[in-house]
Amino acid sequence: MNRHDFESREELARALAEAVAERIRIGIAERGTAAIALSGGSTPGKFFSRLGKTKDIAWDKVTVTLVDERWVDELSARSNAGLINEKLLQGPAAVARFLPLYSGGAEPTPATIAETAARLSGIPKFDAVVLGMGNDGHTASFFPGGDALADALAGPAPVIAIRAPGAGEPRVTLSLPRLLETEALYLHIEGAEKAETLDKALAEGPELDMPVRAVLRQDRVPLEIYWAP
Ligand SMILES: O=C1O[C@H](COP(=O)(O)O)[C@@H](O)[C@H](O)[C@H]1O
């Protein structure tokens, strides 16, 4: 894994946006289309704004989806899709195709999960996956204590419904094997507390206690860690 430290969050956002933009350009050059999976939460807003303003990308050939979603309506302030719409899918990027993970109703059902998995099956491999991390050591919706955490980490199902004490709403997440079907993998974290959490996760200990360890320990895709204070 490689760690990229920046002096400011603005610099990080610029560099990560350029790295992901380059993966998108390569995907379009090689296959005619590109697909990326992004995280939600409080961290990626600046990065999304930067990426969405990138002009030299054929955005109409790009599919954007999420690595995970809170089971809330897109109008909710907690919606990861809402964040993508507000910050990324504006300006040049407004013509990208967005594949949401939330599809209505009180909670995800086997049928809605199957529909989402079917839609994602049209994307055999992502060009870039950008993960975040919570201070409890979760990434995507791989939460400690999650009722489907083992399945989410091991697959084989590509899309998993999961509930966990620290997660708030019911969640839906792409499984780790599905997320590792990518050309490039990024972990975007900011702040001193998250740097400490990362150090803790890099130390020995069970993956079920800090699920981000499963990402840090995998050897299928080189992990690029982007951090700023
Ligand atoms: O709930 C979530 O949390 C993580 C981390 O979010 P942050 O607010 O600490 O940046 C995020 O990566 C994930 O997509 C989201 O659903």
Side-chain angles (χ1 to χ4, degrees), residues 10 16 33 35 66 81 106 108-109 113 116-117 134-135 140 144 161 168 174-175 190 194 201 217-218 223 229:
E10 286 72 20
L16 183 56
T33 59
L66 287 159
T109 64
I113 293 292
T116 305
N135 277 317
L174 302 200
S175 68
E190 297 181 344
K194 288 202 177 165
R217 292 173 183 174
Q218 59 80 31
L223 178 64

PDB file of all heavy atoms in Angstrom, residues 10 16 33 35 66 81 106 108-109 113 116-117 134-135 140 144 161 168 174-175 190 194 201 217-218 223 229:
ATOM      1  N   GLU A  10      -7.828  20.614   0.861  1.00  0.00           N
ATOM      2  CA  GLU A  10      -8.015  21.106  -0.518  1.00  0.00           C
ATOM      3  C   GLU A  10      -7.005  20.436  -1.446  1.00  0.00           C
ATOM      4  O   GLU A  10      -7.345  20.004  -2.543  1.00  0.00           O
ATOM      5  CB  GLU A  10      -7.831  22.627  -0.599  1.00  0.00           C
ATOM      6  CG  GLU A  10      -8.965  23.438  -0.022  1.00  0.00           C
ATOM      7  CD  GLU A  10      -9.041  23.393   1.501  1.00  0.00           C
ATOM      8  OE1 GLU A  10      -8.010  23.056   2.144  1.00  0.00           O
ATOM      9  OE2 GLU A  10     -10.119  23.660   2.053  1.00  0.00           O
ATOM     10  N   LEU A  16      -6.610  13.710  -5.352  1.00  0.00           N
ATOM     11  CA  LEU A  16      -7.433  12.499  -5.485  1.00  0.00           C
ATOM     12  C   LEU A  16      -8.354  12.619  -6.702  1.00  0.00           C
ATOM     13  O   LEU A  16      -8.540  11.651  -7.455  1.00  0.00           O
ATOM     14  CB  LEU A  16      -8.235  12.272  -4.200  1.00  0.00           C
ATOM     15  CG  LEU A  16      -9.095  11.008  -4.143  1.00  0.00           C
ATOM     16  CD1 LEU A  16      -8.274   9.742  -4.400  1.00  0.00           C
ATOM     17  CD2 LEU A  16      -9.797  10.897  -2.783  1.00  0.00           C
ATOM     18  N   THR A  33     -15.994   3.072 -22.046  1.00  0.00           N
ATOM     19  CA  THR A  33     -16.786   3.512 -20.889  1.00  0.00           C
ATOM     20  C   THR A  33     -15.932   3.383 -19.633  1.00  0.00           C
ATOM     21  O   THR A  33     -14.889   2.710 -19.655  1.00  0.00           O
ATOM     22  CB  THR A  33     -18.046   2.636 -20.686  1.00  0.00           C
ATOM     23  OG1 THR A  33     -17.630   1.276 -20.492  1.00  0.00           O
ATOM     24  CG2 THR A  33     -18.997   2.718 -21.859  1.00  0.00           C
ATOM     25  N   ALA A  35     -16.345   3.205 -15.026  1.00  0.00           N
ATOM     26  CA  ALA A  35     -17.261   3.099 -13.882  1.00  0.00           C
ATOM     27  C   ALA A  35     -16.476   3.295 -12.594  1.00  0.00           C
ATOM     28  O   ALA A  35     -15.376   2.755 -12.442  1.00  0.00           O
ATOM     29  CB  ALA A  35     -17.947   1.744 -13.877  1.00  0.00           C
ATOM     30  N   LEU A  66     -22.234   3.817  -5.677  1.00  0.00           N
ATOM     31  CA  LEU A  66     -21.749   3.986  -4.311  1.00  0.00           C
ATOM     32  C   LEU A  66     -21.154   2.679  -3.798  1.00  0.00           C
ATOM     33  O   LEU A  66     -21.574   1.594  -4.211  1.00  0.00           O
ATOM     34  CB  LEU A  66     -22.916   4.378  -3.402  1.00  0.00           C
ATOM     35  CG  LEU A  66     -23.414   5.811  -3.576  1.00  0.00           C
ATOM     36  CD1 LEU A  66     -24.837   5.957  -3.065  1.00  0.00           C
ATOM     37  CD2 LEU A  66     -22.474   6.781  -2.862  1.00  0.00           C
ATOM     38  N   ALA A  81     -26.325   9.049  -1.712  1.00  0.00           N
ATOM     39  CA  ALA A  81     -26.710   9.434  -3.084  1.00  0.00           C
ATOM     40  C   ALA A  81     -26.979  10.936  -3.162  1.00  0.00           C
ATOM     41  O   ALA A  81     -26.618  11.600  -4.143  1.00  0.00           O
ATOM     42  CB  ALA A  81     -27.955   8.663  -3.515  1.00  0.00           C
ATOM     43  N   ALA A 106     -39.150   0.509   3.442  1.00  0.00           N
ATOM     44  CA  ALA A 106     -38.658   0.696   4.816  1.00  0.00           C
ATOM     45  C   ALA A 106     -37.256   0.131   5.009  1.00  0.00           C
ATOM     46  O   ALA A 106     -36.486   0.625   5.826  1.00  0.00           O
ATOM     47  CB  ALA A 106     -39.628   0.028   5.793  1.00  0.00           C
ATOM     48  N   PRO A 108     -34.034  -2.655   2.990  1.00  0.00           N
ATOM     49  CA  PRO A 108     -33.703  -3.472   1.815  1.00  0.00           C
ATOM     50  C   PRO A 108     -34.292  -4.875   1.966  1.00  0.00           C
ATOM     51  O   PRO A 108     -34.323  -5.415   3.064  1.00  0.00           O
ATOM     52  CB  PRO A 108     -32.168  -3.518   1.829  1.00  0.00           C
ATOM     53  CG  PRO A 108     -31.733  -3.012   3.154  1.00  0.00           C
ATOM     54  CD  PRO A 108     -32.853  -2.253   3.770  1.00  0.00           C
ATOM     55  N   THR A 109     -34.781  -5.422   0.867  1.00  0.00           N
ATOM     56  CA  THR A 109     -35.354  -6.771   0.880  1.00  0.00           C
ATOM     57  C   THR A 109     -34.509  -7.643  -0.053  1.00  0.00           C
ATOM     58  O   THR A 109     -33.745  -7.121  -0.883  1.00  0.00           O
ATOM     59  CB  THR A 109     -36.804  -6.747   0.341  1.00  0.00           C
ATOM     60  OG1 THR A 109     -36.737  -6.345  -1.039  1.00  0.00           O
ATOM     61  CG2 THR A 109     -37.688  -5.793   1.121  1.00  0.00           C
ATOM     62  N   ILE A 113     -32.252  -6.154  -3.168  1.00  0.00           N
ATOM     63  CA  ILE A 113     -30.812  -6.447  -3.222  1.00  0.00           C
ATOM     64  C   ILE A 113     -30.485  -7.166  -4.542  1.00  0.00           C
ATOM     65  O   ILE A 113     -29.491  -6.872  -5.204  1.00  0.00           O
ATOM     66  CB  ILE A 113     -30.398  -7.317  -2.010  1.00  0.00           C
ATOM     67  CG1 ILE A 113     -30.533  -6.499  -0.721  1.00  0.00           C
ATOM     68  CG2 ILE A 113     -28.994  -7.881  -2.166  1.00  0.00           C
ATOM     69  CD1 ILE A 113     -29.554  -5.368  -0.570  1.00  0.00           C
ATOM     70  N   THR A 116     -30.477  -4.694  -7.402  1.00  0.00           N
ATOM     71  CA  THR A 116     -29.263  -3.864  -7.402  1.00  0.00           C
ATOM     72  C   THR A 116     -28.080  -4.672  -7.922  1.00  0.00           C
ATOM     73  O   THR A 116     -27.282  -4.192  -8.735  1.00  0.00           O
ATOM     74  CB  THR A 116     -28.964  -3.343  -5.979  1.00  0.00           C
ATOM     75  OG1 THR A 116     -30.116  -2.663  -5.509  1.00  0.00           O
ATOM     76  CG2 THR A 116     -27.778  -2.402  -5.953  1.00  0.00           C
ATOM     77  N   ALA A 117     -27.975  -5.911  -7.448  1.00  0.00           N
ATOM     78  CA  ALA A 117     -26.861  -6.764  -7.896  1.00  0.00           C
ATOM     79  C   ALA A 117     -26.938  -6.973  -9.402  1.00  0.00           C
ATOM     80  O   ALA A 117     -25.911  -6.955 -10.101  1.00  0.00           O
ATOM     81  CB  ALA A 117     -26.913  -8.099  -7.156  1.00  0.00           C
ATOM     82  N   GLY A 134     -14.598   5.103   9.120  1.00  0.00           N
ATOM     83  CA  GLY A 134     -15.113   5.724  10.344  1.00  0.00           C
ATOM     84  C   GLY A 134     -14.154   5.467  11.496  1.00  0.00           C
ATOM     85  O   GLY A 134     -13.297   4.577  11.419  1.00  0.00           O
ATOM     86  N   ASN A 135     -14.300   6.224  12.563  1.00  0.00           N
ATOM     87  CA  ASN A 135     -13.388   6.043  13.695  1.00  0.00           C
ATOM     88  C   ASN A 135     -13.624   4.761  14.479  1.00  0.00           C
ATOM     89  O   ASN A 135     -12.844   4.427  15.375  1.00  0.00           O
ATOM     90  CB  ASN A 135     -13.437   7.272  14.610  1.00  0.00           C
ATOM     91  CG  ASN A 135     -12.526   8.360  14.071  1.00  0.00           C
ATOM     92  OD1 ASN A 135     -11.406   8.084  13.636  1.00  0.00           O
ATOM     93  ND2 ASN A 135     -13.011   9.583  14.043  1.00  0.00           N
ATOM     94  N   ALA A 140     -16.837   1.291   3.901  1.00  0.00           N
ATOM     95  CA  ALA A 140     -18.109   0.983   3.227  1.00  0.00           C
ATOM     96  C   ALA A 140     -19.149   0.840   4.357  1.00  0.00           C
ATOM     97  O   ALA A 140     -19.158   1.656   5.284  1.00  0.00           O
ATOM     98  CB  ALA A 140     -17.974  -0.246   2.345  1.00  0.00           C
ATOM     99  N   PRO A 144     -18.284  -2.944  12.631  1.00  0.00           N
ATOM    100  CA  PRO A 144     -18.079  -3.911  13.700  1.00  0.00           C
ATOM    101  C   PRO A 144     -19.453  -4.308  14.262  1.00  0.00           C
ATOM    102  O   PRO A 144     -20.309  -3.443  14.448  1.00  0.00           O
ATOM    103  CB  PRO A 144     -17.282  -3.135  14.760  1.00  0.00           C
ATOM    104  CG  PRO A 144     -16.747  -1.925  14.079  1.00  0.00           C
ATOM    105  CD  PRO A 144     -17.637  -1.648  12.901  1.00  0.00           C
ATOM    106  N   ALA A 161     -27.284  -6.596   2.411  1.00  0.00           N
ATOM    107  CA  ALA A 161     -28.011  -5.755   3.369  1.00  0.00           C
ATOM    108  C   ALA A 161     -27.401  -6.008   4.736  1.00  0.00           C
ATOM    109  O   ALA A 161     -27.099  -7.157   5.084  1.00  0.00           O
ATOM    110  CB  ALA A 161     -29.490  -6.135   3.367  1.00  0.00           C
ATOM    111  N   GLY A 168     -26.802   3.289  12.536  1.00  0.00           N
ATOM    112  CA  GLY A 168     -28.028   4.067  12.328  1.00  0.00           C
ATOM    113  C   GLY A 168     -29.029   3.244  11.538  1.00  0.00           C
ATOM    114  O   GLY A 168     -29.453   2.176  11.969  1.00  0.00           O
ATOM    115  N   LEU A 174     -21.716  -2.857  -1.033  1.00  0.00           N
ATOM    116  CA  LEU A 174     -21.073  -3.810  -1.933  1.00  0.00           C
ATOM    117  C   LEU A 174     -20.155  -4.658  -1.061  1.00  0.00           C
ATOM    118  O   LEU A 174     -19.596  -4.177  -0.073  1.00  0.00           O
ATOM    119  CB  LEU A 174     -20.271  -3.093  -3.023  1.00  0.00           C
ATOM    120  CG  LEU A 174     -21.031  -2.113  -3.914  1.00  0.00           C
ATOM    121  CD1 LEU A 174     -20.246  -1.874  -5.215  1.00  0.00           C
ATOM    122  CD2 LEU A 174     -22.423  -2.594  -4.258  1.00  0.00           C
ATOM    123  N   SER A 175     -19.993  -5.913  -1.410  1.00  0.00           N
ATOM    124  CA  SER A 175     -19.122  -6.789  -0.618  1.00  0.00           C
ATOM    125  C   SER A 175     -17.661  -6.465  -0.937  1.00  0.00           C
ATOM    126  O   SER A 175     -17.357  -5.858  -1.982  1.00  0.00           O
ATOM    127  CB  SER A 175     -19.415  -8.260  -0.942  1.00  0.00           C
ATOM    128  OG  SER A 175     -19.015  -8.528  -2.271  1.00  0.00           O
ATOM    129  N   GLU A 190      -9.348  11.852   6.626  1.00  0.00           N
ATOM    130  CA  GLU A 190      -8.893  13.193   7.014  1.00  0.00           C
ATOM    131  C   GLU A 190      -8.947  13.332   8.534  1.00  0.00           C
ATOM    132  O   GLU A 190      -9.859  12.801   9.184  1.00  0.00           O
ATOM    133  CB  GLU A 190      -9.790  14.253   6.359  1.00  0.00           C
ATOM    134  CG  GLU A 190      -9.697  14.215   4.839  1.00  0.00           C
ATOM    135  CD  GLU A 190     -10.541  15.271   4.135  1.00  0.00           C
ATOM    136  OE1 GLU A 190     -11.445  15.857   4.763  1.00  0.00           O
ATOM    137  OE2 GLU A 190     -10.308  15.494   2.938  1.00  0.00           O
ATOM    138  N   LYS A 194      -8.571  10.125  12.628  1.00  0.00           N
ATOM    139  CA  LYS A 194      -8.590   9.030  11.646  1.00  0.00           C
ATOM    140  C   LYS A 194      -7.182   8.485  11.392  1.00  0.00           C
ATOM    141  O   LYS A 194      -7.023   7.293  11.112  1.00  0.00           O
ATOM    142  CB  LYS A 194      -9.269   9.462  10.350  1.00  0.00           C
ATOM    143  CG  LYS A 194     -10.773   9.595  10.554  1.00  0.00           C
ATOM    144  CD  LYS A 194     -11.562   9.490   9.292  1.00  0.00           C
ATOM    145  CE  LYS A 194     -13.050   9.569   9.642  1.00  0.00           C
ATOM    146  NZ  LYS A 194     -13.887   9.811   8.488  1.00  0.00           N
ATOM    147  N   ALA A 201      -5.659   0.237  13.139  1.00  0.00           N
ATOM    148  CA  ALA A 201      -6.101  -0.810  12.193  1.00  0.00           C
ATOM    149  C   ALA A 201      -4.906  -1.523  11.562  1.00  0.00           C
ATOM    150  O   ALA A 201      -4.996  -2.706  11.221  1.00  0.00           O
ATOM    151  CB  ALA A 201      -6.982  -0.183  11.107  1.00  0.00           C
ATOM    152  N   ARG A 217      -5.364  -5.469   4.601  1.00  0.00           N
ATOM    153  CA  ARG A 217      -4.611  -6.723   4.544  1.00  0.00           C
ATOM    154  C   ARG A 217      -4.746  -7.480   3.229  1.00  0.00           C
ATOM    155  O   ARG A 217      -4.026  -8.438   2.997  1.00  0.00           O
ATOM    156  CB  ARG A 217      -5.067  -7.636   5.708  1.00  0.00           C
ATOM    157  CG  ARG A 217      -4.660  -7.080   7.050  1.00  0.00           C
ATOM    158  CD  ARG A 217      -5.263  -7.880   8.191  1.00  0.00           C
ATOM    159  NE  ARG A 217      -4.912  -7.277   9.484  1.00  0.00           N
ATOM    160  CZ  ARG A 217      -5.381  -7.675  10.652  1.00  0.00           C
ATOM    161  NH1 ARG A 217      -6.239  -8.694  10.710  1.00  0.00           N
ATOM    162  NH2 ARG A 217      -5.016  -7.070  11.769  1.00  0.00           N
ATOM    163  N   GLN A 218      -5.690  -7.074   2.396  1.00  0.00           N
ATOM    164  CA  GLN A 218      -5.870  -7.802   1.137  1.00  0.00           C
ATOM    165  C   GLN A 218      -4.682  -7.520   0.212  1.00  0.00           C
ATOM    166  O   GLN A 218      -4.027  -6.474   0.322  1.00  0.00           O
ATOM    167  CB  GLN A 218      -7.216  -7.444   0.475  1.00  0.00           C
ATOM    168  CG  GLN A 218      -7.408  -5.971   0.139  1.00  0.00           C
ATOM    169  CD  GLN A 218      -6.727  -5.511  -1.135  1.00  0.00           C
ATOM    170  OE1 GLN A 218      -6.578  -6.291  -2.075  1.00  0.00           O
ATOM    171  NE2 GLN A 218      -6.316  -4.253  -1.181  1.00  0.00           N
ATOM    172  N   LEU A 223      -3.440  -0.617  -2.464  1.00  0.00           N
ATOM    173  CA  LEU A 223      -4.271   0.405  -1.816  1.00  0.00           C
ATOM    174  C   LEU A 223      -3.506   1.724  -1.737  1.00  0.00           C
ATOM    175  O   LEU A 223      -2.380   1.768  -1.248  1.00  0.00           O
ATOM    176  CB  LEU A 223      -4.652  -0.067  -0.400  1.00  0.00           C
ATOM    177  CG  LEU A 223      -5.485   0.913   0.424  1.00  0.00           C
ATOM    178  CD1 LEU A 223      -6.856   1.137  -0.214  1.00  0.00           C
ATOM    179  CD2 LEU A 223      -5.645   0.404   1.856  1.00  0.00           C
ATOM    180  N   PRO A 229      -4.520  16.506   7.314  1.00  0.00           N
ATOM    181  CA  PRO A 229      -4.930  16.807   8.689  1.00  0.00           C
ATOM    182  C   PRO A 229      -6.311  17.468   8.768  1.00  0.00           C
ATOM    183  O   PRO A 229      -6.798  18.003   7.783  1.00  0.00           O
ATOM    184  CB  PRO A 229      -3.854  17.771   9.196  1.00  0.00           C
ATOM    185  CG  PRO A 229      -3.058  18.181   8.030  1.00  0.00           C
ATOM    186  CD  PRO A 229      -3.356  17.281   6.889  1.00  0.00           C
TER     187      PRO A 229
END
